[in-house]
Amino acid sequence: MADKRRKPIVDPRAAEKRRSLLIKIGAAVVLVALAVGIGVWVLVSHESATGSSSNVTVATDNAYRITTAPKGTTPPVTVTVVEDFQCPACRAFETQFAGAMDQIRNNPKVAVDYMPIAFLDRMSTTNYSSRSANASACVAQSTAGDGNFDTWLKFHNALYAQQPEEGGPGLTNDELNSIAKQVGATNLKQCIGDGQFSGFVKDTTQKALNSGVNATPTIKINGQPVQLSTPDALIAAVNEAANK
């Protein structure tokens, strides 16, 4: 008996239409994926250029940590220095307490956390507090990848040695870059000029304000503000905390 079942007849025109439709759908998916990818790239590039998402990879809780403690250990004492490179009182502290801070930094039981903030932008015509703090971050990022902040500390000290008068424009970006090169950093003209770490500076400033900081310099021992009197008194307070 003949087989009554028949193979379905394939309409070549319908098949071609389906194939064409699938090609169009595939192309559309690729275009959408490309558009999304380009959009994400533009967003990330924009955030990086404006500094809104930039972070200093060598910072510890937004601070530059200097310690002689053995690697892999956590010192029992943290001395936090919240400062503003435009602040005359901060310069006075650096001058008067320089020897004491050297001794404290060399104590293996102590970590010194420096937090430059933009507290006094209103005291210059060019937001010098923000610009100098950003330059500081540029130096830290480029020179302290291994956790050695010697070059950063030289830059820190040089900024106070050349601190501009309040009410003026402050040091120019080119001058900040020149100081950075003088202390051993590479050319940071773009990082400084573009404000690459402006977002980081704003975040650090807000963290300091949220923690109760209302003046610079503010010195803390294990998170508790210290009333500054004499260098010897600061050393004694740090030693007392270290020996508890």
Side-chain angles (χ1 to χ4, degrees), residues 219-235:
I219 313 301
K220 299 180 180 181
I221 298 178
N222 288 341
Q224 298 302 312
V226 177
Q227 293 295 326
L228 294 174
S229 54
T230 66
D232 287 342
L234 179 60
I235 292 173

Side-chain angles (χ1 to χ4, degrees), residues 58-163:
V58 294
T60 302
D61 292 332
N62 285 54
Y64 310 125
R65 172 162 290 185
I66 299 177
T67 182
T68 57
K71 287 189 176 182
T73 65
T74 302
V77 179
T78 299
V79 175
T80 304
V81 180
V82 185
E83 58 186 348
D84 187 313
F85 292 120
Q86 177 70 83
C87 163
C90 297
R91 180 181 181 180
F93 169 78
E94 289 297 323
T95 301
Q96 183 181 355
F97 287 78
M101 290 304 298
D102 280 341
Q103 186 172 330
I104 290 169
R105 283 192 297 266
N106 287 320
N107 187 338
K109 293 184 178 181
V110 181
V112 180
D113 285 1
Y114 287 92
M115 291 184 67
I117 65 173
F119 195 66
L120 295 171
D121 271 340
R122 67 186 184 282
M123 301 306 294
S124 79
T125 57
T126 63
N127 293 329
Y128 179 70
S129 290
S130 290
R131 291 192 298 107
S132 57
N134 172 75
S136 163
C138 291
V139 172
Q141 181 74 4
S142 67
T143 65
D146 60 353
N148 185 330
F149 284 88
D150 288 350
T151 299
W152 178 86
L153 190 59
K154 290 177 182 178
F155 182 74
H156 166 277
N157 294 341
L159 288 187
Y160 283 120
Q162 301 180 50
Q163 187 182 72

